[in-house]
Amino acid sequence: MSKALKLMLFALLALALTVVTACGANEEPAVEPTEEAEVEVEEQDESEVASEEATESEDAGVVNLYTSRHYDTDRELYDRFTEETGIVVNVVEGKGDELMERLDREGPATEADVFITADAGNLARLKEKELTQAVDSEVLTANIPDKLRDDDNEWFGLTKRARVIVYSKDRVDPSELSTYEALTEPEWKERVLIRSSENIYNQSILASFIELNGEEAAKEWAAGIVENMAREPQGGDTDQVVAVVAGEGDVAISNTYYVGRLLNSENPEEVKIGEDVGIFFPNQDTTGTHINISGAAVTKHAKNVENAIKFIEFLTSEEAQFVFAEGNNEYPVNPKVEPTELLASWGEFKEQDIDLTILGTNNARAIQLFNEVGWK
Ligand SMILES: [Fe+2]
């Protein structure tokens, strides 16, 4: 077998493994996370893949994407982009943090042109590690509100998510709910479910409170939630919602799309769990509900910069936004595009009014506060 052929087989094998392992990815599946063991397989033949991809990427007709998203609808969009532009999208899927490590490790040799991951906090980390580059695009600045992209345009929101209070319809009347802060009151003792502080979503919500209410109030909130936790933090957002329905606690702090995912599940038990909880948008009379994004960046060492920008522009277009957001039951970032029927049924809400760049700026301080109050 010729060396070239061997390399190609390696590349195909690695690609197949990547696709298989991608199902777990960064975003949790509705119920059973199975990703841990599998993702490691991806590492094995990396050097071989890199040399093969290097040959391919000299072709101007490609854009190479690292993404923690793994939805069928995304792939349909990539195909549509190829149809419209002739640019082929090569996709490497994986867990967000592992892809970030890989991008860092590969340095200037990376083939990744575009990086897509969840949370402005993660995107800010990429920027801090100098793995992104500034993009000057009128299309992107027109399609994406200022607060949903980096101050220096080194990353851009693609979808928007809300972190809300999910409550048991059996045991909680929504009239009892008001703000995130109110969940620290004694009446909620041992009733609040929320995941670990190691999770970026919680770091980002606390980072937002530092910005809006000051550090002291943010710390007080974190301490008050620890006081009222129904159990030690464990699992992801879906696990908190499941625990509400199981009666372990009465309210959970969760991103809305996890409830959407349960409601759209093919498993009737999951649908039932989704139906047994309500969504409450907190802080409507005060600072607004915490929002975050998943987003994209052009990598620092992108070889196909123009294609990368075209690709991200396409994902923010009216044509693509509905489908892209719908893939994960999220809100479009492009204000011209309507949310899905399900999201619309939860109603409109007042959002926190902060520039999401702040979530990165305040991240380290948020982690410190969590440690100080003993939030595991
Ligand atoms: Fe998520």
Side-chain angles (χ1 to χ4, degrees):
M1 207 181 331
S2 76
K3 183 142 191 274
L5 188 56
K6 265 189 205 161
L7 283 177
M8 195 181 292
L9 284 173
F10 264 120
L12 284 172
L13 178 65
L15 184 66
L17 289 171
T18 306
V19 170
V20 169
T21 57
C23 304
N26 189 39
E27 304 285 342
E28 299 149 38
V31 160
E32 201 45 37
T34 53
E35 66 266 35
E36 293 301 338
E38 294 165 317
V39 175
E40 286 175 22
V41 181
E42 192 191 321
E43 309 294 327
Q44 287 171 2
D45 299 317
E46 209 172 282
S47 55
E48 309 285 353
V49 179
S51 54
E52 172 61 15
E53 279 174 359
T55 329
E56 267 175 29
S57 301
E58 280 158 22
D59 183 343
V62 300
V63 61
N64 297 318
L65 168 67
Y66 284 7
T67 178
S68 65
R69 287 174 60 102
H70 53 280
Y71 307 107
D72 293 343
T73 45
D74 287 8
R75 288 183 206 113
E76 285 162 26
L77 276 180
Y78 304 157
D79 289 345
R80 209 186 296 174
F81 174 72
T82 304
E83 270 165 39
E84 286 180 18
T85 62
I87 299 165
V88 174
V89 185
N90 294 322
V91 185
V92 174
E93 292 178 348
K95 292 182 76 174
D97 47 0
E98 293 183 3
L99 288 175
M100 209 185 294
E101 267 168 42
R102 175 169 167 178
L103 184 69
D104 197 10
R105 196 170 62 235
E106 288 170 341
T110 191
E111 293 309 320
D113 300 307
V114 175
F115 197 98
I116 294 180
T117 192
D119 206 289
N122 280 332
L123 290 158
R125 249 174 232 176
L126 273 183
K127 182 188 176 192
E128 204 174 294
K129 290 182 167 187
E130 299 185 354
L131 295 172
T132 58
Q133 62 173 284
V135 167
D136 184 14
S137 159
E138 277 172 27
V139 175
L140 291 179
T141 47
N143 286 351
I144 308 172
D146 186 58
K147 67 175 188 175
L148 303 181
R149 51 186 157 82
D150 174 52
D151 284 350
D152 303 316
N153 288 326
E154 295 211 16
W155 49 259
F156 299 88
L158 293 176
T159 62
K160 194 167 65 179
R161 59 267 302 277
R163 197 150 182 75
V164 300
I165 301 173
V166 173
Y167 62 92
S168 159
K169 283 182 182 166
D170 279 347
R171 298 184 303 279
V172 176
D173 189 293
S175 68
E176 298 169 58
L177 299 167
S178 58
T179 62
Y180 299 108
E181 291 82 4
L183 295 182
T184 65
E185 298 293 330
E187 61 182 290
W188 294 101
K189 180 103 183 146
E190 291 177 8
R191 299 172 71 192
V192 180
L193 291 149
I194 185 163
R195 70 200 295 178
S196 158
S197 66
E198 281 170 22
N199 174 258
I200 188 81
Y201 303 160
N202 283 344
Q203 293 166 12
S204 285
I205 199 172
L206 191 58
S208 76
F209 294 162
I210 293 172
E211 172 65 14
L212 291 165
N213 310 325
E215 213 170 287
E216 206 171 308
K219 185 177 175 178
E220 223 167 87
W221 178 78
I225 293 292
V226 170
E227 189 62 30
N228 284 350
M229 281 180 183
R231 61 177 186 188
E232 272 195 9
Q234 54 187 270
D237 281 7
T238 304
D239 297 298
Q240 316 311 317
V241 177
V242 170
V244 165
V245 173
E248 282 197 65
D250 295 327
V251 291
I253 293 180
S254 166
N255 290 353
T256 49
Y257 56 84
Y258 291 103
V259 177
R261 215 177 275 178
L262 288 164
L263 287 169
N264 289 332
S265 169
E266 281 169 18
N267 177 344
E269 285 171 30
E270 290 180 5
V271 176
K272 178 82 172 67
I273 292 168
E275 287 171 348
D276 285 351
V277 294
I279 299 262
F280 184 85
F281 294 98
N283 296 55
Q284 292 304 284
D285 297 329
T286 63
T287 47
T289 294
H290 176 64
I291 55 149
N292 206 319
I293 50 159
S294 71
V298 176
T299 66
K300 173 92 173 170
H301 301 289
K303 315 291 186 289
N304 304 289
V305 174
E306 273 176 42
N307 292 354
I309 296 170
K310 261 188 221 160
F311 178 63
I312 300 174
E313 287 176 347
F314 171 79
L315 292 178
T316 65
S317 67
E318 288 180 59
E319 176 196 356
Q321 271 281 291
F322 182 85
V323 178
F324 200 64
E326 185 192 31
N328 189 30
N329 300 293
E330 290 177 272
Y331 298 89
V333 290
N334 186 328
K336 290 189 203 120
V337 181
E338 298 290 328
T340 60
E341 210 175 303
L342 173 67
L343 269 57
S345 77
W346 290 334
E348 291 188 5
F349 62 96
K350 176 182 165 184
E351 302 173 1
Q352 284 182 341
D353 188 21
I354 53 171
D355 192 307
L356 295 195
T357 302
I358 295 289
L359 304 184
T361 316
N362 290 351
N363 179 272
R365 192 63 194 124
I367 293 173
Q368 212 175 327
L369 292 184
F370 277 132
N371 289 335
E372 285 170 22
V373 303
W375 185 321
K376 297 196 174 157

